[in-house]
Structures are given as structure tokens and as C-alpha cells.
Amino acid sequence: MTRAALAIDLGGTELRAAVVEATGHVAAFAATPTDAQGGPHAVIAQMVALLDRVRSEAPAAEIVGLGVGAPGPLDPDAGIVVDAPTLLGWRNVPLTSILSERLGLAVQLENDANAAALGEWRFGAGQGTQSMVFITVSTGVGGGVIVDGHLLHGRRGLAGEIGHMAVSEQPVRCSCGGLGCWEAFASGTALAREASKLVESGGAPEIGRLAGSEPVTGRHVAEAARQGDSPALKLLDDEARWLGVGLTNLLHLYSPERLILGGGVGSLLPMMQARIEGTIRERAMSAFRDVPVVAAALGRNAGLVGAASLMLQGSP
């Protein structure tokens, strides 16, 4: 028998499950669209069905428990999802106790971005460090912080909401309701917003052609930039500058050995690296300028692998 854990990555769009071995290898995987409007009862039923499926696909696995990565705010010690804004009716849901009773297994709950940080730290681009910050840049900006070998939780597990650092006095409203958040300037949503404005003004015809009748996204910007399109390259340069501003703050706050960039926009790091590093050199204290910014290694599996590691190795 191979020692392994079950893992769930609860997203507002997609629900993902896996069997993860102690080495970090994903032995079985399944996914389904999340019934986000169905309420906790419907989604938990989906979880149980997916977990039954992946268990059947890895019969040699000796399952030691279930790790769950879920959107916050949540209380990992109490096992309660406090308020998941992308899921209807998910307020103060005692997810750990419900799943433990249904499955007859030990269950550990963790913020999804923290789970991904754990995955990268233990099995991905963060291996060998004692202090690192994982940053995921996609629809929003999130992350997890490891300092001196410990995952930062803070009060009620709410530490590490790095996307909501205030980085500008510009009156740009963030999805959280605040003004000037890093997420409002550096997320994939922000990149798409600025690209859309440019397309509408006639300043980015190639991006508009690639988007066609679809809404403009960061993917269209990236595709045009790879073709050498000047407006797209300027948009990515601005994106990289905003990323560099926030990353400089993270260097000063946490003094990590490594900054690890993931998510859809994070995957564009090769096209943004020079500008990001240049911004850090301009803004960071000299002692922090040699910290590398590297790409995440585990892709979309980071959260599943990290959640499983909670049961296989414990919470650091």
C-alpha cells in the first residue's frame, strides 16, 4: 500500500479532487463544475462523489485523511468556512466536521492560497527555503507566506491577504470594496480592464482582432505580445511594473529567500521578468534586491498537493 491523502480544491467555478502520495505525486484526479448556486449541501455532495471517484482510481493508496483548500475568509483551526463570496450560502459552514462525519476520515481545512503556497514550498519551486512568499496572479491576487518554516495564519487565519495591500492613491475600486489595492492594479482582471479601454479607443487593433466578439482578457494581451505587438507589450510592461511594486512590499515585510509567482498572469513571468526586477531594484532596500522572483512549478496542482500535505506532513 502507498501512503497517500485525499485532497479537495474548492473553487467558485470548478471543484477538483485528487489522491496525492507522500512524494507529492498526484495518483488520481477528477474535476467538475462547482454548483456554486446550489448552497453548501449540494457542493458537499459533489465533493463526496468526486472523492469516491478518485479513491476508486487509486485502490493501492492507503488514505490517511483529507486536506481541503477553500476560499476565505475561513478559520482553519475550527474547520469553518466563514464566508466564501463566490459560493451562495457559504457562511459559517463547519466543513471539516461535515466531511469527517460523511467520510470517516480526519479532515484539515486551509485557505486555498495557503494550500498552494504549501504545495510549492514542500514539492515545488520553494523547496529548500525556510522563508518564501507564493503569489498567484489570475482573476485576483492572492498568496501564502512561509516565514522561518511556519505558514502564517494570523487572527482567524486571515494573514496573507497580500492582494489587498494599498499600493496607490488612485481611486480604483477593488473587488473587496477598497481603494488602491494591489489586486486592482496587478491582477488579470486589471490587465483585461486596461486592455479593453485601449481596444475601445482604437489603440490596440491587434488585441481587438484576437478577441473578436469575446471580452478582452489577459490571454489576448499575452498572445499579441508574443507576436511583438507594441500596445500589448506596453500593457505587459505596465503590469510588470505594478507587480514589481507589490513584490517590493512583500520583500520588505517578510524578508523571503524566494518570491514564487503563479497563476495565469504569473505564467507570463518570462515576458515580464526584466521589468519586475528593474522595479524591485529601483524601490527595494539594497539588502533585498538579490532575492529571486521565480515561476511556480506545480501549476494548477499546487493547491491539491499542498492540501494533501496537511494530512501527510502536518501544518507547519
Side-chain angles (χ1 to χ4, degrees), residues 41-205:
H41 179 78
V43 177
I44 290 168
Q46 286 186 299
M47 290 183 188
V48 172
L50 273 187
L51 291 169
D52 286 344
R53 179 174 157 190
V54 293
R55 288 183 85 167
S56 70
E57 293 175 2
E62 180 188 356
I63 302 298
V64 299
L66 165 65
V68 180
L74 55 78
D75 186 331
D77 292 330
I80 294 172
V81 177
V82 177
D83 181 17
T86 58
L87 299 166
L88 182 66
W90 281 71
R91 287 181 179 271
N92 297 315
V93 177
L95 186 59
T96 294
S97 62
I98 293 171
L99 287 174
S100 181
E101 183 178 342
R102 293 270 186 98
L103 300 168
L105 291 170
V107 180
Q108 179 69 48
L109 178 67
E110 184 55 87
N111 175 278
D112 50 6
N114 283 346
L118 276 180
E120 288 290 341
W121 183 53
R122 285 172 162 164
F123 298 103
Q127 287 184 93
T129 66
Q130 281 294 297
S131 297
M132 55 150 267
V133 182
F134 169 75
I135 307 99
T136 178
V137 186
S138 51
T139 303
V141 176
V145 182
I146 308 285
V147 174
D148 297 332
H150 297 285
L151 176 64
L152 291 190
H153 279 118
R155 185 185 68 88
R156 300 189 71 189
L158 298 176
E161 287 290 350
I162 59 176
H164 303 291
M165 296 184 293
V167 297
S168 175
E169 291 186 345
Q170 295 181 40
V172 178
R173 186 73 63 182
C174 179
S175 61
C176 74
L179 290 170
C181 295
W182 191 28
E183 179 173 299
F185 292 90
S187 64
T189 302
L191 177 60
R193 180 190 68 227
E194 296 305 309
S196 294
K197 289 179 185 176
L198 204 56
V199 169
E200 289 169 7
S201 70

Side-chain angles (χ1 to χ4, degrees), residues 1-7 16-30 50-63 123 301 304-305 308 312:
M1 298 287 281
T2 303
R3 188 168 179 268
L6 296 171
R16 308 167 76 239
V19 174
V20 181
E21 296 175 356
T23 59
H25 171 69
V26 176
F29 171 84
L50 273 187
L51 291 169
D52 286 344
R53 179 174 157 190
V54 293
R55 288 183 85 167
S56 70
E57 293 175 2
E62 180 188 356
I63 302 298
F123 298 103
N301 283 340
L304 288 168
V305 171
L312 295 162

Side-chain angles (χ1 to χ4, degrees), residues 234-253:
K234 175 62 168 59
L235 284 164
L236 276 190
D237 188 65
D238 289 343
E239 169 70 18
R241 182 176 61 84
W242 280 117
L243 285 173
V245 169
L247 293 174
T248 301
N249 289 344
L250 296 177
L251 289 172
H252 290 154
L253 283 168

